Amino acid sequence: MKSGFVFNIQRFSISDGPGIRTTVFMKGCNMRCFWCHNPESQELYPQIQFFLQKCIGCLKCVKICPHHAQLFEQGKRVYLRSLCVNCGKCAEVCNSQALVLIGKEMTVSEVMEKVTRDLPFYKISKGGVTFSGGEPLEQADFLRALLIECKKQNIHTAVDTAGNVSWEEFEKILQYTDLFLYDIKCMDNEKHKQATGAENIRILENLRLIQSAGFQNEIWIRIPIIPGINDNEEEAKKVVNFIREFKGISKIDLLPFHKMGKEKYESLGMEYKAEELLPVREDVLEKLVQIYRKNGFDANIESG
Amino acid sequence: MDINNEISNKNNVPYHWFYLDGFINALNEPPAIREAMARHNLYTNAPVYINPGELIVGNLDWALYNEPVINRISAHYVQQSVIDNIMDEPSIDSNEKKLLKHKLKIFAPYVLYNKISNVLSEEEQLVKECGIASSCHFNGHMILDYSYILEKGLRCVFQDVRKFLESEVTNEQKEFYEALGITISGMIEYIKRHGDLAEELISNNNPNYDRDMLITIRDNCYTIAEKTPQNFLQALQLLWFMMNFADYDSFGRFDQYMYPFYKKSAEEGMTDDEALVYLKHLWNKIEQCGYILNMTIGGILPNGNDGVNELTYLALKITRQLRFKSPNLCLRIRSDSPYELWQEVYENLSTGQSLPALYNESLIIKIFENSGIKSEDARDFALAGCSQVFIPGKSSFACDMGEYNVLKCLELALHNGFDERLGKQVGPYTGTPDDLDTYEKFLDAYRKQIKYAIEMGVSINNKDYLVRNDDCSCVRSMFTRDCLAKGKGIFQGGARYYGVQNEVIGLTNTANSLMAIKKVVYEEKGLTLKELVDMLDKNYEGNEDLRLMLLNRIPKFGNDIDEVDKIRADITEEFFKELNKHHAEPSGYHMPGEVIFTYHISHGKEAIASPDGRFAYEPLADSAGPSQGTDLNGPTAVINSMLKLPLELYKTCCCLNMKFSPSLWRSGKEKIISLFRSYFERGGYQLQINVVDKETLIEAKKNPEKFKSLVVRVGGYSAYFVTLPSELQDEIITRTEHKI
């Protein structure tokens, strides 16, 4: 497959692997973590985002929308998402960027054209390209093609995955991946299911399989710290017990929950389910990170 | 000590009598002698001060600030605001006021601005008023030959001057050497008088002073009046006195010429902590004088060896500790400079103070060599003023003599040469919008306006030089090679290297505007040129949607988009080459660049709305970089765009501002250093880094449109600040405050 859905290509991305990197955010995810920081990544297809505060009231969208989803009623701009088919015609005419079509289909060469622009920066900083999402392995063939192209140009590759795909998908990319950024969200399967909509059995199994398949490169474990889900020491110890035997794990990043995604939920007409959550306390984070460090892992809290 | 109080207390010190009286008393003398007598009278008769607590003395800055008449940057100026203050001051006797008025009238013909106004043609006055070509009539910053002064000592220079005077010379040369002799004898006297004052304070047992410090000051002054400095502190003291005489300008390569004195004192037992205390005393004087004095550190030596030494690091350290705005510390650095130095730079910039600015010496030396400057001189370059390049002690590179508003030229091309703001025909008739029916025709009209602006600008600049033909500039001439040897002043051809530094302003806005015109008018044909012009004339009133289209939909320079970056590169190269077709007085050497200073504000006020979506009279882009808030692809894209410019054609600086939020800055030390190193490895010119503070973020929140490209670190990822939800912005604002 030579094309796939991408919703952002972020340059000078400095927290998704070593060195200066470009992160390619791929659209589509088969999990629905209720705190998700990137709600625009969840659906595979492009979607309309609506930021009312940017609207200057030119009403070109109202005129152009073939499905009458964009309306002007009683002095107010109204967007009826139920009628919208995400054709993007409104976004095309919206100069104020109140309406934006998030996500687009890109070919491998289009993506490569963008990521190769920063080659000199990768070289001097020992950086490279990270594929994130969404779940990049949901588009494993596209991902594989991109990784092969990167390796042809000697670019360091990282894949940021939640791991919830069949092993066959991993097999497609294993030999072209220099680094996995591998999420572990919760060791308790029931809790995991409640919080993310998916079981963790396959996720944990895939991490084991990556090891047994003879993967020689690096793995960084990334753990989003979500209040009430995994912000306790017991959970951290379980993770330690699980990953202790694996060789390639060189780093553990704890990513404390934040409410960054909130406005994006609104712009997509989605319900934000993490409203009630409080930020993780620093002392809690510190305790957790110490557990990993005591067990010999290079663990860090990744916050600004 | 509250220095502002000190200054205002001295407001009534009539320094002006000393310069002005010296000048008027010598009115019938030749111009060189006249200036020398004025300086001599100031140095030998104006009151001198020693402030309690200071170890380095000399305060002629008060004279510069509070005098109605000054000789700053080697030319006579009148400070109208100071005159007004004196005239409004009830405590000053009316006879004294009358007398001052009388003297100012006598002095008026010698004021530089008056002299220049008299020689400009009507056309030249008009283009100046319009803004397409102008001049600050400023002879430029200067770096004296400080290593020569420190190695020889003033007494020895004085003897040299006398030797020349006694040799076989022409009348003109005789006047020149006499003027220098009068000047330097005044300088020596001025230094001695500080020794006398210290002695007086010692014998009076003045309780406000530390006796040991006074003894040191006395001994230092008496020594350096007669001999070379004997230690590090004496060298700093002589250097500071020289700043007084040089009308407060740029230091040049401080860590190089000071190094022998540092080394000697270190061998005699001075610790680095003591050296830091001495530096602190100098930095305090610099801060208190109010001027922003440029100081260069780092870089290779004339012989090609690395010159980075202990003083380079100490200068960085004291700057970081004191966090003053001045000295404007400039570091010469290379991509392959020791990583330790890069780490030190990172530490300095982490304070949010934005010093040092970084200059890629590999490129700058190459540019000078390509211009025919000897390698050993090119390798010795330093920065002056804001970021203008100089060969210390050997060059007279008039700064900002040429100021060109390129966006205004584009505006004239859109209006057939007519200036809407002035309501006058300024440029040539290059076609009405209806005539310009292809992009090539439009470009041609633009080029004709540029050509005219340059013709006018060069003519103004040449008059700027020629009008100074009787200006001796005693201090500059004495300490600039090869004036002394040739017996010629700096404005009579005595210096080794000449050049005119030109500020080319508005290139980014022009490129973005050309991109818009090309796309919207000539390719997509969504608007006619006439419709576009009407919209600009009305400052986009009633056309916000189209303005947003131009602002948001048309590619902008700084995003690594080849099409618009190429336009930016092409118009820059064209402009520079056009400039080089003209002769620049006296050497023919044009030095175009984009330092920009605050010209993006002042020249923005000349230009009506532009096709890049900018409203009328708003600022232009703030350096050679992208227009504010239009670079949306991050710092690597900005750097890639910059590298497409013809950087080797920049004979003076091509400045790039970059802003980082403190949290992003903190989280990525190695990556940020790599970013900068990559720019310089590939031929970047200069970098000035802001790690932004809380106030900026608050402002960004209020006016998101102006801060679109501010990247902040959120939580394990980075984002554009203005795209974040309000509560998160608030949270980040608080967080920043705690962490900085």
Side-chain angles (χ1 to χ4, degrees), chain B residues 401 461-470 491 585-586:
Chain B
M401 284 276 256
N461 301 154
N462 287 343
K463 288 179 178 176
D464 264 335
Y465 182 84
L466 296 170
V467 83
R468 290 172 164 87
N469 60 359
D470 64 352
F491 294 112
E585 290 291 351

Side-chain angles (χ1 to χ4, degrees), chain B residues 107 198 204 206 222 290 319 329 406 422 457 543 568 650 675 715:
Chain B
F107 189 69
N204 292 347
N206 189 317
Y222 284 154
T319 301
L329 198 66
V406 181
L422 296 179
N543 276 305
R568 174 69 164 85
Y650 281 73
L675 183 75

Side-chain angles (χ1 to χ4, degrees), chain B residues 526-628:
Chain B
L527 272 178
T528 66
L529 194 60
K530 178 88 176 54
E531 286 165 341
L532 177 68
V533 170
D534 286 346
M535 194 161 76
L536 299 175
D537 289 348
K538 289 183 191 130
N539 197 18
Y540 290 112
E541 219 184 299
N543 276 305
E544 181 61 5
D545 185 49
L546 279 171
R547 189 187 77 84
L548 288 171
M549 184 270 287
L550 294 167
L551 186 68
N552 293 330
R553 302 254 186 209
I554 306 295
K556 298 282 184 289
F557 175 69
N559 291 290
D560 200 5
I561 298 168
D562 292 339
E563 191 179 6
V564 62
D565 291 351
K566 186 171 186 314
I567 293 176
R568 174 69 164 85
D570 288 349
I571 62 169
T572 306
E573 186 167 344
E574 274 179 31
F575 191 99
F576 290 6
K577 288 189 168 163
E578 183 65 33
L579 193 60
N580 285 329
K581 288 181 190 164
H582 298 265
H583 176 72
E585 290 291 351
S587 67
Y589 186 42
H590 279 289
M591 303 171 74
E594 295 179 77
V595 177
I596 303 303
F597 179 49
T598 54
Y599 295 131
H600 60 299
I601 310 283
S602 55
H603 287 285
K605 287 179 185 160
E606 293 159 355
I608 66 162
S610 42
D612 54 350
R614 176 188 145 280
F615 284 118
Y617 314 126
E618 286 209 334
L620 310 176
D622 61 305
S623 63
S627 200
Q628 295 85 345

Side-chain angles (χ1 to χ4, degrees), chain A residues 11-12 14-15 17 19-20 60 91-92 94-97 117-118 120-121 124-125 258 260 262 302-304, chain B residues 545 548-549 552-553 560 562 635-637 639-640 664 671 674 678 682 713-717 724 727 735 739:
Chain A
R11 295 164 73 167
F12 197 63
I14 62 171
S15 55
I20 295 174
K60 285 192 291 183
E92 270 172 37
C94 182
N95 291 326
S96 70
Q97 299 175 336
R117 287 189 165 256
D118 282 351
F121 296 103
I124 203 166
S125 68
H258 58 72
M260 154 64 198
K262 192 184 166 194
E302 266 290 331
S303 56
Chain B
D545 185 49
L548 288 171
M549 184 270 287
N552 293 330
R553 302 254 186 209
D560 200 5
D562 292 339
T636 60
I639 282 176
N640 284 351
L664 171 62
K671 297 171 190 187
S674 298
S678 178
R682 291 185 280 154
R713 192 82 184 137
V714 183
Y717 77 104
L724 299 173
E727 61 184 294
R735 213 194 290 170
K739 290 191 177 177

